[in-house]
Structure formats: structure tokens, C-alpha cells
Amino acid sequence: MKVLTHTDRPAVESFHGLVAVSPEMRELFRLIQRVAKSDISLLIRGETGTGKELVARAMHALSGRSNGPYRAVNCATLTGELLASELFGHVRGAFTGAVADRKGVFSLANKGTLFLDEVAEIPLEIQPRLLRVLQSGEFIPVGATKAEHVDVRIVSATHRALRREVANGRFRADLMYRIRVRPLYIPPLRDRTGDIEALTWHFIDLFNGENRRVGAIEESAMQALTTYRWPGNVRELRNVIEGAFAFGEGSVLTMDELTPELRGEEPPEDGVPLYETLEDRERATILAALTTAGGRRGEAAAALGMSRTTLWRKLRELGL
Ligand SMILES: Nc1ncnc2c1ncn2[C@@H]1O[C@H](COP(=O)(O)OP(=O)(O)OP(=O)(O)O)[C@@H](O)[C@H]1O
Ligand SMILES: [Mg+2]
């Protein structure tokens, strides 16, 4: 069996928890360093699991606001007044269940950074209020009459092409220009194979512990890892390595410890029907994962290599 050991690992750059060797990612790290100090709004775009949240945190850590608060809100998980309240807060009695005044994330992030995750999902009716606070720093809590003023730096993220959302009438153009003064793009993992190798070692280091210590990896396993398409990107890679640690034993991580997809086998069918469209296929895959996980969404999301919120959004999109 031919193996690769730690000495074969590439020289990596580690940047605020992000590990990379590829020129694309290193270029992105430089760009982050350049823009972090300014207060301009940034839009991070990248597929699920590419590290958008880590980039947002790095942006805060490198900014002049690093001593201030960092807050994150996922715009896909709430709708209507609940999202408005999460963003802007509410006063007691503003709606049923509003039993006390509550601060929103814009107040809580004052003098710091606010990360608007899945920003493309913000409902159209909330967008004018968001635009106003981005333009003037002012907003009115739900049910209040007086405006509040804050100083917040906005970092947003989406997996969607915002321009297309604008073209389809789902997102306001003026808001788009406000939030993506500087767009940042994180390429999918399949387009930076050097990083796959570096990240594999990174996660081996991470999971090395009392239960198992891995010092080498079978060459064919590394080959399989670097040629796989990684729809769940870095998160999926992390899960695969974690799974291999749990599944196998000994100091060499081997091919047969990888998931069936990685070994080039069809995933077990489990009565999943032949799919006709991509959407059907996605629906079938998600349903199968949910069934396997006994309905536990966290587990299903981990098995699919996506975050809980991505799974949640997909369930909604697919009408599940
Ligand atoms: N370059 C990297 N180096 C090390 N770990 C990474 C890197 N990129 C992502 N990760 C890890 O992968 C996982 C997913 O990253 P993150 O949550 O930032 O992705 P995301 O783009 O926000 O995904 P989603 O769109 O699903 O929310 C996390 O565990 C993160 O620590
Ligand atoms: Mg995220």
C-alpha cells in the first residue's frame, strides 16, 4: 500500500482559521486584509461550506472594530415581523407575544460588525427598512415611533447571484449596490484541488486524539479526495475525514474508510426512485438523508455536508 505522510504535505497558509495553499485563496486573504480596515460593505459569495462565515469573522477581527461586538443573523430562517424584530428590535406590545422591549441585532452590533447571512433571502417588504439603515444608520424598532441611530459595519453573504435576484424582481437593485460595494468570491473546493490536500491534513490534525492517531494517508484515498466534486465543499470534506476517523483504526487513513461516493460507488438506493430533474434528485437525496437520520435535521444536514440553515432553506424551497 502506497501512503503519503506528513512530510509530503504542502506548505499552507493559515489565515484566521482559514487554511489554503491555492493562489485564489491566498489572493482572497490579501484582499480581505486590504479591505478589512475600511468600513465599506462587503458581500461574500460562495457555495455552501466554502467558508463564508469564517471570512466574515476574519473581516471583523482585522477591522478597527475588533474590540466591538460581532453579531450574525441568518436572514433565511425568519420571515415577516419576526425578522424585522430580529434586525431592528421591537417595543413591548408591538405584536402578539412581544411582552417586553427587545433589542435587535443592529443595536447589539453598534460600533461593531453585523453579518447578514443568506442576505438574498430577505423578503422584499423588509428591504426598504434595511436600505434605510444602511444609508443613514437609522431604523425604527417594530412598533416604535422614534428612530434609533447606530454605527454598524455590514458584511453579507449569499450563495446566490444577487444580480439574478434583482433581474427576477426578488431583490432591490439599490439595496444590492449598498451591500456589495466590494464583492468577494470564494471559489468552490473542486476548483482548488491543492487546498483539498492541505485541508485533509488540517482535519487529520484536528481529529487526531486519544481514540486514533493518523500519521499517513493511503495515496489512492488522497487521489479520491482530490478528484471528488465536493458539492458540500469544505464542510463536507471535514465530515468525510471525521467519519473516516470514527469508522477506521490505525495510523493510516485508508480508501475503504471513505464514504461510498468517494470510493466511486453509487450511494445506496434505499428505495429512492429514479430522478427526472435536478430538483427531484435533490428532493430525493434530502428525503433519504432525513429518513436515515430518523428525522433529525442536524444529523441529516451533516450527512449531506450542508449547514442546518442550508438544509432548512432547501426544505422550504422544495416545499418539504
Ligand atoms: N479554508 C478553510 N480552512 C479551514 N476550515 C474551513 C475552510 N473553509 C471552511 N472551513 C470549515 O468548513 C465549515 C463550513 O464553513 P462555513 O460555515 O464558514 O461555510 P459557509 O460558506 O458559511 O456555509 P453555508 O453557506 O452552508 O452557511 C466550517 O467548519 C469551517 O470551519
Ligand atoms: Mg454560513
Side-chain angles (χ1 to χ4, degrees):
M1 171 167 71
K2 201 151 183 284
V3 302
L4 300 166
T5 64
H6 271 74
T7 51
D8 300 309
R9 62 200 297 174
V12 302
E13 177 170 355
S14 189
F15 180 82
H16 296 268
L18 291 148
V19 168
V21 294
S22 66
E24 296 90 337
M25 287 303 283
R26 285 164 166 238
E27 180 52 39
L28 180 68
F29 296 166
R30 301 293 84 77
L31 184 58
I32 293 170
Q33 277 171 324
R34 284 202 299 277
V35 295
K37 289 277 179 237
S38 80
D39 261 348
I40 58 171
S41 303
L42 297 160
L43 177 67
I44 308 163
R45 198 177 148 212
E47 291 180 8
T48 181
T50 47
K52 296 185 290 296
E53 188 150 349
L54 286 179
V55 167
R57 284 182 181 279
M59 204 63 82
H60 175 67
L62 286 166
S63 74
R65 299 167 172 268
S66 57
N67 288 328
Y70 171 89
R71 295 278 162 166
V73 59
N74 189 309
C75 304
T77 49
L78 295 171
T79 53
E81 284 307 272
L82 286 178
L83 178 60
S85 159
E86 180 70 20
L87 293 170
F88 310 119
H90 64 244
V91 296
R92 180 169 166 242
F95 47 84
T96 321
V99 292
D101 288 7
R102 176 168 181 256
K103 279 187 189 302
V105 284
F106 270 97
S107 293
L108 297 169
N110 194 19
K111 307 268 182 247
T113 306
L114 177 58
F115 177 43
L116 298 175
D117 204 358
E118 307 258 21
V119 73
E121 318 306 312
I122 291 199
L124 268 171
E125 75 262 20
I126 302 215
Q127 293 180 19
R129 285 146 96 177
L130 190 59
L131 181 64
R132 177 174 176 201
V133 61
L134 296 187
Q135 277 170 341
S136 65
E138 283 195 348
F139 62 91
I140 303 177
V142 179
T145 47
K146 231 177 92 229
E148 271 184 44
H149 192 93
V150 287
D151 166 24
V152 170
R153 198 268 179 94
I154 301 292
V155 178
S156 318
T158 179
H159 65 285
R160 292 186 197 275
L162 221 42
R163 272 189 186 282
R164 194 152 59 225
E165 298 304 295
V166 169
N168 290 334
R170 286 192 293 262
F171 205 85
R172 294 175 63 114
D174 46 9
L175 184 57
M176 172 179 77
Y177 291 120
R178 267 285 157 185
I179 62 171
R180 54 142 236 202
V181 174
R182 179 77 222 209
L184 298 178
Y185 178 65
I186 313 182
L189 193 54
R190 62 181 167 277
D191 291 346
R192 40 186 174 105
T193 41
D195 287 348
I196 297 177
E197 205 175 321
L199 284 162
T200 298
W201 286 112
H202 171 69
F203 291 127
I204 288 175
D205 288 345
L206 185 72
F207 295 118
N208 262 337
E210 274 175 25
N211 288 334
R212 186 173 180 194
R213 283 209 79 80
V214 169
I217 175 166
E218 198 179 349
E219 200 177 22
S220 59
M222 189 62 98
Q223 175 93 38
L225 291 165
T226 48
T227 49
Y228 180 63
R229 291 193 58 77
W230 299 110
N233 292 290
V234 185
R235 183 182 292 110
E236 186 183 8
L237 173 57
R238 185 194 153 109
N239 290 339
V240 165
I241 302 299
E242 189 175 16
F245 262 78
F247 186 75
E249 55 184 8
S251 63
V252 181
L253 200 148
T254 59
M255 180 77 170
D256 57 359
E257 292 162 9
L258 303 180
T259 50
E261 293 88 344
L262 268 297
R263 296 200 305 267
E265 298 163 16
E266 281 294 305
E269 284 284 310
D270 284 339
V272 176
L274 279 178
Y275 14 77
E276 274 157 10
T277 65
L278 256 183
E279 196 178 287
D280 287 347
R281 180 182 171 153
E282 186 162 50
R283 178 179 283 120
T285 310
I286 289 178
L287 282 176
L290 275 169
T291 310
T292 310
R296 286 178 296 274
R297 287 191 185 178
E299 259 175 52
L304 291 162
M306 53 177 76
S307 64
R308 275 163 189 269
T309 48
T310 302
L311 176 61
W312 192 93
R313 174 168 45 73
K314 284 189 183 294
L315 288 172
R316 209 179 55 177
E317 279 170 6
L318 295 166
L320 291 172

PDB file of all heavy atoms in Angstrom, residues 34-65:
ATOM      1  N   ARG A  34      -6.731  43.961   2.851  1.00  0.00           N
ATOM      2  CA  ARG A  34      -6.787  45.335   2.332  1.00  0.00           C
ATOM      3  C   ARG A  34      -8.090  46.026   2.684  1.00  0.00           C
ATOM      4  O   ARG A  34      -8.102  47.205   3.018  1.00  0.00           O
ATOM      5  CB  ARG A  34      -6.613  45.337   0.806  1.00  0.00           C
ATOM      6  CG  ARG A  34      -5.178  45.121   0.349  1.00  0.00           C
ATOM      7  CD  ARG A  34      -4.985  45.663  -1.064  1.00  0.00           C
ATOM      8  NE  ARG A  34      -5.832  45.008  -2.044  1.00  0.00           N
ATOM      9  CZ  ARG A  34      -5.544  43.853  -2.631  1.00  0.00           C
ATOM     10  NH1 ARG A  34      -4.422  43.206  -2.340  1.00  0.00           N
ATOM     11  NH2 ARG A  34      -6.360  43.323  -3.521  1.00  0.00           N
ATOM     12  N   VAL A  35      -9.204  45.298   2.583  1.00  0.00           N
ATOM     13  CA  VAL A  35     -10.492  45.979   2.760  1.00  0.00           C
ATOM     14  C   VAL A  35     -11.013  45.957   4.198  1.00  0.00           C
ATOM     15  O   VAL A  35     -11.936  46.692   4.528  1.00  0.00           O
ATOM     16  CB  VAL A  35     -11.592  45.412   1.824  1.00  0.00           C
ATOM     17  CG1 VAL A  35     -11.246  45.677   0.386  1.00  0.00           C
ATOM     18  CG2 VAL A  35     -11.818  43.938   2.075  1.00  0.00           C
ATOM     19  N   ALA A  36     -10.392  45.127   5.050  1.00  0.00           N
ATOM     20  CA  ALA A  36     -10.944  44.954   6.409  1.00  0.00           C
ATOM     21  C   ALA A  36     -10.959  46.265   7.195  1.00  0.00           C
ATOM     22  O   ALA A  36     -11.864  46.521   7.970  1.00  0.00           O
ATOM     23  CB  ALA A  36     -10.172  43.884   7.163  1.00  0.00           C
ATOM     24  N   LYS A  37      -9.938  47.087   6.979  1.00  0.00           N
ATOM     25  CA  LYS A  37      -9.817  48.325   7.771  1.00  0.00           C
ATOM     26  C   LYS A  37     -10.857  49.377   7.413  1.00  0.00           C
ATOM     27  O   LYS A  37     -11.191  50.223   8.229  1.00  0.00           O
ATOM     28  CB  LYS A  37      -8.422  48.933   7.569  1.00  0.00           C
ATOM     29  CG  LYS A  37      -7.319  48.123   8.233  1.00  0.00           C
ATOM     30  CD  LYS A  37      -7.159  48.452   9.712  1.00  0.00           C
ATOM     31  CE  LYS A  37      -6.071  47.610  10.346  1.00  0.00           C
ATOM     32  NZ  LYS A  37      -6.569  46.836  11.505  1.00  0.00           N
ATOM     33  N   SER A  38     -11.324  49.317   6.175  1.00  0.00           N
ATOM     34  CA  SER A  38     -12.307  50.319   5.760  1.00  0.00           C
ATOM     35  C   SER A  38     -13.692  49.910   6.255  1.00  0.00           C
ATOM     36  O   SER A  38     -13.891  48.806   6.728  1.00  0.00           O
ATOM     37  CB  SER A  38     -12.332  50.438   4.245  1.00  0.00           C
ATOM     38  OG  SER A  38     -13.093  49.389   3.707  1.00  0.00           O
ATOM     39  N   ASP A  39     -14.634  50.804   6.106  1.00  0.00           N
ATOM     40  CA  ASP A  39     -15.981  50.496   6.584  1.00  0.00           C
ATOM     41  C   ASP A  39     -16.921  50.103   5.453  1.00  0.00           C
ATOM     42  O   ASP A  39     -18.125  50.013   5.653  1.00  0.00           O
ATOM     43  CB  ASP A  39     -16.544  51.707   7.339  1.00  0.00           C
ATOM     44  CG  ASP A  39     -16.392  51.521   8.846  1.00  0.00           C
ATOM     45  OD1 ASP A  39     -16.076  50.392   9.270  1.00  0.00           O
ATOM     46  OD2 ASP A  39     -16.584  52.505   9.583  1.00  0.00           O
ATOM     47  N   ILE A  40     -16.376  49.869   4.263  1.00  0.00           N
ATOM     48  CA  ILE A  40     -17.267  49.584   3.139  1.00  0.00           C
ATOM     49  C   ILE A  40     -17.998  48.253   3.342  1.00  0.00           C
ATOM     50  O   ILE A  40     -17.507  47.356   4.015  1.00  0.00           O
ATOM     51  CB  ILE A  40     -16.527  49.550   1.782  1.00  0.00           C
ATOM     52  CG1 ILE A  40     -15.404  48.514   1.791  1.00  0.00           C
ATOM     53  CG2 ILE A  40     -16.024  50.929   1.402  1.00  0.00           C
ATOM     54  CD1 ILE A  40     -14.796  48.291   0.418  1.00  0.00           C
ATOM     55  N   SER A  41     -19.182  48.175   2.748  1.00  0.00           N
ATOM     56  CA  SER A  41     -19.985  46.952   2.867  1.00  0.00           C
ATOM     57  C   SER A  41     -19.451  45.895   1.921  1.00  0.00           C
ATOM     58  O   SER A  41     -19.139  46.179   0.768  1.00  0.00           O
ATOM     59  CB  SER A  41     -21.438  47.244   2.510  1.00  0.00           C
ATOM     60  OG  SER A  41     -21.932  48.267   3.327  1.00  0.00           O
ATOM     61  N   LEU A  42     -19.387  44.678   2.427  1.00  0.00           N
ATOM     62  CA  LEU A  42     -18.846  43.583   1.637  1.00  0.00           C
ATOM     63  C   LEU A  42     -19.885  42.514   1.447  1.00  0.00           C
ATOM     64  O   LEU A  42     -20.639  42.222   2.364  1.00  0.00           O
ATOM     65  CB  LEU A  42     -17.678  42.940   2.376  1.00  0.00           C
ATOM     66  CG  LEU A  42     -16.501  43.858   2.590  1.00  0.00           C
ATOM     67  CD1 LEU A  42     -15.660  43.311   3.714  1.00  0.00           C
ATOM     68  CD2 LEU A  42     -15.695  43.955   1.319  1.00  0.00           C
ATOM     69  N   LEU A  43     -19.875  41.938   0.252  1.00  0.00           N
ATOM     70  CA  LEU A  43     -20.750  40.802   0.001  1.00  0.00           C
ATOM     71  C   LEU A  43     -19.882  39.597  -0.325  1.00  0.00           C
ATOM     72  O   LEU A  43     -19.119  39.621  -1.288  1.00  0.00           O
ATOM     73  CB  LEU A  43     -21.701  41.104  -1.162  1.00  0.00           C
ATOM     74  CG  LEU A  43     -22.611  39.934  -1.535  1.00  0.00           C
ATOM     75  CD1 LEU A  43     -23.601  39.640  -0.421  1.00  0.00           C
ATOM     76  CD2 LEU A  43     -23.366  40.226  -2.829  1.00  0.00           C
ATOM     77  N   ILE A  44     -19.991  38.570   0.491  1.00  0.00           N
ATOM     78  CA  ILE A  44     -19.223  37.351   0.265  1.00  0.00           C
ATOM     79  C   ILE A  44     -20.112  36.370  -0.476  1.00  0.00           C
ATOM     80  O   ILE A  44     -21.210  36.064  -0.037  1.00  0.00           O
ATOM     81  CB  ILE A  44     -18.801  36.704   1.595  1.00  0.00           C
ATOM     82  CG1 ILE A  44     -18.107  37.725   2.492  1.00  0.00           C
ATOM     83  CG2 ILE A  44     -17.913  35.504   1.346  1.00  0.00           C
ATOM     84  CD1 ILE A  44     -18.047  37.290   3.941  1.00  0.00           C
ATOM     85  N   ARG A  45     -19.611  35.901  -1.608  1.00  0.00           N
ATOM     86  CA  ARG A  45     -20.399  34.926  -2.347  1.00  0.00           C
ATOM     87  C   ARG A  45     -19.633  33.625  -2.453  1.00  0.00           C
ATOM     88  O   ARG A  45     -18.428  33.622  -2.686  1.00  0.00           O
ATOM     89  CB  ARG A  45     -20.706  35.466  -3.737  1.00  0.00           C
ATOM     90  CG  ARG A  45     -21.834  34.711  -4.343  1.00  0.00           C
ATOM     91  CD  ARG A  45     -22.235  35.250  -5.678  1.00  0.00           C
ATOM     92  NE  ARG A  45     -22.691  34.113  -6.443  1.00  0.00           N
ATOM     93  CZ  ARG A  45     -22.568  33.983  -7.737  1.00  0.00           C
ATOM     94  NH1 ARG A  45     -22.016  34.927  -8.442  1.00  0.00           N
ATOM     95  NH2 ARG A  45     -23.004  32.909  -8.342  1.00  0.00           N
ATOM     96  N   GLY A  46     -20.324  32.534  -2.262  1.00  0.00           N
ATOM     97  CA  GLY A  46     -19.682  31.226  -2.385  1.00  0.00           C
ATOM     98  C   GLY A  46     -20.706  30.151  -2.084  1.00  0.00           C
ATOM     99  O   GLY A  46     -21.682  30.391  -1.378  1.00  0.00           O
ATOM    100  N   GLU A  47     -20.455  28.961  -2.614  1.00  0.00           N
ATOM    101  CA  GLU A  47     -21.363  27.839  -2.381  1.00  0.00           C
ATOM    102  C   GLU A  47     -21.386  27.477  -0.900  1.00  0.00           C
ATOM    103  O   GLU A  47     -20.531  27.926  -0.132  1.00  0.00           O
ATOM    104  CB  GLU A  47     -20.875  26.615  -3.171  1.00  0.00           C
ATOM    105  CG  GLU A  47     -21.014  26.766  -4.659  1.00  0.00           C
ATOM    106  CD  GLU A  47     -20.510  25.521  -5.406  1.00  0.00           C
ATOM    107  OE1 GLU A  47     -20.193  24.506  -4.761  1.00  0.00           O
ATOM    108  OE2 GLU A  47     -20.439  25.601  -6.634  1.00  0.00           O
ATOM    109  N   THR A  48     -22.325  26.637  -0.531  1.00  0.00           N
ATOM    110  CA  THR A  48     -22.409  26.198   0.851  1.00  0.00           C
ATOM    111  C   THR A  48     -21.097  25.510   1.278  1.00  0.00           C
ATOM    112  O   THR A  48     -20.480  24.795   0.488  1.00  0.00           O
ATOM    113  CB  THR A  48     -23.612  25.239   1.062  1.00  0.00           C
ATOM    114  OG1 THR A  48     -23.648  24.877   2.432  1.00  0.00           O
ATOM    115  CG2 THR A  48     -23.506  23.974   0.228  1.00  0.00           C
ATOM    116  N   GLY A  49     -20.663  25.822   2.493  1.00  0.00           N
ATOM    117  CA  GLY A  49     -19.485  25.157   3.049  1.00  0.00           C
ATOM    118  C   GLY A  49     -18.149  25.672   2.566  1.00  0.00           C
ATOM    119  O   GLY A  49     -17.108  25.061   2.832  1.00  0.00           O
ATOM    120  N   THR A  50     -18.128  26.805   1.856  1.00  0.00           N
ATOM    121  CA  THR A  50     -16.845  27.306   1.345  1.00  0.00           C
ATOM    122  C   THR A  50     -16.108  28.190   2.353  1.00  0.00           C
ATOM    123  O   THR A  50     -14.969  28.578   2.120  1.00  0.00           O
ATOM    124  CB  THR A  50     -17.036  28.126   0.039  1.00  0.00           C
ATOM    125  OG1 THR A  50     -18.108  29.045   0.221  1.00  0.00           O
ATOM    126  CG2 THR A  50     -17.310  27.224  -1.144  1.00  0.00           C
ATOM    127  N   GLY A  51     -16.763  28.547   3.465  1.00  0.00           N
ATOM    128  CA  GLY A  51     -16.067  29.330   4.491  1.00  0.00           C
ATOM    129  C   GLY A  51     -16.514  30.780   4.598  1.00  0.00           C
ATOM    130  O   GLY A  51     -15.781  31.624   5.109  1.00  0.00           O
ATOM    131  N   LYS A  52     -17.742  31.067   4.159  1.00  0.00           N
ATOM    132  CA  LYS A  52     -18.219  32.458   4.179  1.00  0.00           C
ATOM    133  C   LYS A  52     -18.241  33.023   5.595  1.00  0.00           C
ATOM    134  O   LYS A  52     -17.878  34.175   5.829  1.00  0.00           O
ATOM    135  CB  LYS A  52     -19.623  32.549   3.543  1.00  0.00           C
ATOM    136  CG  LYS A  52     -19.631  32.171   2.057  1.00  0.00           C
ATOM    137  CD  LYS A  52     -20.986  32.390   1.409  1.00  0.00           C
ATOM    138  CE  LYS A  52     -22.049  31.423   1.881  1.00  0.00           C
ATOM    139  NZ  LYS A  52     -21.773  30.010   1.544  1.00  0.00           N
ATOM    140  N   GLU A  53     -18.674  32.190   6.537  1.00  0.00           N
ATOM    141  CA  GLU A  53     -18.751  32.668   7.908  1.00  0.00           C
ATOM    142  C   GLU A  53     -17.353  32.955   8.480  1.00  0.00           C
ATOM    143  O   GLU A  53     -17.150  33.944   9.188  1.00  0.00           O
ATOM    144  CB  GLU A  53     -19.461  31.617   8.760  1.00  0.00           C
ATOM    145  CG  GLU A  53     -19.741  32.110  10.135  1.00  0.00           C
ATOM    146  CD  GLU A  53     -21.000  31.471  10.713  1.00  0.00           C
ATOM    147  OE1 GLU A  53     -21.763  30.814   9.983  1.00  0.00           O
ATOM    148  OE2 GLU A  53     -21.193  31.649  11.920  1.00  0.00           O
ATOM    149  N   LEU A  54     -16.391  32.099   8.138  1.00  0.00           N
ATOM    150  CA  LEU A  54     -15.023  32.335   8.604  1.00  0.00           C
ATOM    151  C   LEU A  54     -14.476  33.635   8.024  1.00  0.00           C
ATOM    152  O   LEU A  54     -13.776  34.387   8.699  1.00  0.00           O
ATOM    153  CB  LEU A  54     -14.110  31.168   8.193  1.00  0.00           C
ATOM    154  CG  LEU A  54     -14.255  29.855   8.971  1.00  0.00           C
ATOM    155  CD1 LEU A  54     -13.289  28.817   8.423  1.00  0.00           C
ATOM    156  CD2 LEU A  54     -14.023  30.087  10.450  1.00  0.00           C
ATOM    157  N   VAL A  55     -14.805  33.908   6.763  1.00  0.00           N
ATOM    158  CA  VAL A  55     -14.345  35.151   6.130  1.00  0.00           C
ATOM    159  C   VAL A  55     -14.964  36.364   6.830  1.00  0.00           C
ATOM    160  O   VAL A  55     -14.279  37.357   7.109  1.00  0.00           O
ATOM    161  CB  VAL A  55     -14.677  35.149   4.611  1.00  0.00           C
ATOM    162  CG1 VAL A  55     -14.496  36.539   4.010  1.00  0.00           C
ATOM    163  CG2 VAL A  55     -13.799  34.139   3.886  1.00  0.00           C
ATOM    164  N   ALA A  56     -16.242  36.261   7.161  1.00  0.00           N
ATOM    165  CA  ALA A  56     -16.906  37.379   7.846  1.00  0.00           C
ATOM    166  C   ALA A  56     -16.242  37.645   9.195  1.00  0.00           C
ATOM    167  O   ALA A  56     -16.007  38.796   9.573  1.00  0.00           O
ATOM    168  CB  ALA A  56     -18.397  37.068   8.024  1.00  0.00           C
ATOM    169  N   ARG A  57     -15.909  36.588   9.913  1.00  0.00           N
ATOM    170  CA  ARG A  57     -15.258  36.754  11.220  1.00  0.00           C
ATOM    171  C   ARG A  57     -13.852  37.338  11.070  1.00  0.00           C
ATOM    172  O   ARG A  57     -13.441  38.186  11.864  1.00  0.00           O
ATOM    173  CB  ARG A  57     -15.169  35.419  11.950  1.00  0.00           C
ATOM    174  CG  ARG A  57     -16.492  35.009  12.531  1.00  0.00           C
ATOM    175  CD  ARG A  57     -16.386  33.694  13.291  1.00  0.00           C
ATOM    176  NE  ARG A  57     -17.689  33.326  13.806  1.00  0.00           N
ATOM    177  CZ  ARG A  57     -18.212  33.822  14.919  1.00  0.00           C
ATOM    178  NH1 ARG A  57     -17.535  34.671  15.654  1.00  0.00           N
ATOM    179  NH2 ARG A  57     -19.424  33.466  15.308  1.00  0.00           N
ATOM    180  N   ALA A  58     -13.149  36.896  10.036  1.00  0.00           N
ATOM    181  CA  ALA A  58     -11.800  37.425   9.788  1.00  0.00           C
ATOM    182  C   ALA A  58     -11.891  38.920   9.505  1.00  0.00           C
ATOM    183  O   ALA A  58     -11.078  39.721   9.984  1.00  0.00           O
ATOM    184  CB  ALA A  58     -11.152  36.695   8.606  1.00  0.00           C
ATOM    185  N   MET A  59     -12.915  39.288   8.748  1.00  0.00           N
ATOM    186  CA  MET A  59     -13.105  40.685   8.391  1.00  0.00           C
ATOM    187  C   MET A  59     -13.287  41.540   9.642  1.00  0.00           C
ATOM    188  O   MET A  59     -12.749  42.633   9.754  1.00  0.00           O
ATOM    189  CB  MET A  59     -14.361  40.773   7.513  1.00  0.00           C
ATOM    190  CG  MET A  59     -14.403  41.939   6.624  1.00  0.00           C
ATOM    191  SD  MET A  59     -13.081  41.909   5.442  1.00  0.00           S
ATOM    192  CE  MET A  59     -13.756  40.828   4.205  1.00  0.00           C
ATOM    193  N   HIS A  60     -14.034  41.016  10.587  1.00  0.00           N
ATOM    194  CA  HIS A  60     -14.250  41.733  11.846  1.00  0.00           C
ATOM    195  C   HIS A  60     -12.952  41.782  12.665  1.00  0.00           C
ATOM    196  O   HIS A  60     -12.554  42.849  13.162  1.00  0.00           O
ATOM    197  CB  HIS A  60     -15.356  41.060  12.653  1.00  0.00           C
ATOM    198  CG  HIS A  60     -15.561  41.667  14.012  1.00  0.00           C
ATOM    199  ND1 HIS A  60     -16.053  42.944  14.178  1.00  0.00           N
ATOM    200  CD2 HIS A  60     -15.320  41.184  15.258  1.00  0.00           C
ATOM    201  CE1 HIS A  60     -16.114  43.218  15.474  1.00  0.00           C
ATOM    202  NE2 HIS A  60     -15.677  42.174  16.153  1.00  0.00           N
ATOM    203  N   ALA A  61     -12.290  40.658  12.766  1.00  0.00           N
ATOM    204  CA  ALA A  61     -11.073  40.576  13.588  1.00  0.00           C
ATOM    205  C   ALA A  61      -9.992  41.534  13.091  1.00  0.00           C
ATOM    206  O   ALA A  61      -9.216  42.072  13.882  1.00  0.00           O
ATOM    207  CB  ALA A  61     -10.549  39.140  13.590  1.00  0.00           C
ATOM    208  N   LEU A  62      -9.961  41.757  11.765  1.00  0.00           N
ATOM    209  CA  LEU A  62      -8.920  42.608  11.194  1.00  0.00           C
ATOM    210  C   LEU A  62      -9.332  44.070  11.107  1.00  0.00           C
ATOM    211  O   LEU A  62      -8.545  44.921  10.707  1.00  0.00           O
ATOM    212  CB  LEU A  62      -8.567  42.117   9.785  1.00  0.00           C
ATOM    213  CG  LEU A  62      -7.749  40.830   9.724  1.00  0.00           C
ATOM    214  CD1 LEU A  62      -7.761  40.275   8.307  1.00  0.00           C
ATOM    215  CD2 LEU A  62      -6.325  41.104  10.182  1.00  0.00           C
ATOM    216  N   SER A  63     -10.569  44.351  11.465  1.00  0.00           N
ATOM    217  CA  SER A  63     -11.066  45.712  11.314  1.00  0.00           C
ATOM    218  C   SER A  63     -10.730  46.552  12.536  1.00  0.00           C
ATOM    219  O   SER A  63     -10.295  46.037  13.566  1.00  0.00           O
ATOM    220  CB  SER A  63     -12.588  45.689  11.121  1.00  0.00           C
ATOM    221  OG  SER A  63     -13.226  45.408  12.357  1.00  0.00           O
ATOM    222  N   GLY A  64     -10.957  47.854  12.411  1.00  0.00           N
ATOM    223  CA  GLY A  64     -10.770  48.737  13.549  1.00  0.00           C
ATOM    224  C   GLY A  64     -11.852  48.544  14.601  1.00  0.00           C
ATOM    225  O   GLY A  64     -11.847  49.190  15.639  1.00  0.00           O
ATOM    226  N   ARG A  65     -12.803  47.652  14.312  1.00  0.00           N
ATOM    227  CA  ARG A  65     -13.930  47.418  15.209  1.00  0.00           C
ATOM    228  C   ARG A  65     -13.771  46.136  16.004  1.00  0.00           C
ATOM    229  O   ARG A  65     -14.723  45.688  16.654  1.00  0.00           O
ATOM    230  CB  ARG A  65     -15.213  47.293  14.377  1.00  0.00           C
ATOM    231  CG  ARG A  65     -15.539  48.524  13.587  1.00  0.00           C
ATOM    232  CD  ARG A  65     -16.624  48.258  12.546  1.00  0.00           C
ATOM    233  NE  ARG A  65     -17.051  49.520  11.942  1.00  0.00           N
ATOM    234  CZ  ARG A  65     -18.057  50.243  12.393  1.00  0.00           C
ATOM    235  NH1 ARG A  65     -18.766  49.813  13.410  1.00  0.00           N
ATOM    236  NH2 ARG A  65     -18.367  51.388  11.823  1.00  0.00           N
TER     237      ARG A  65
END
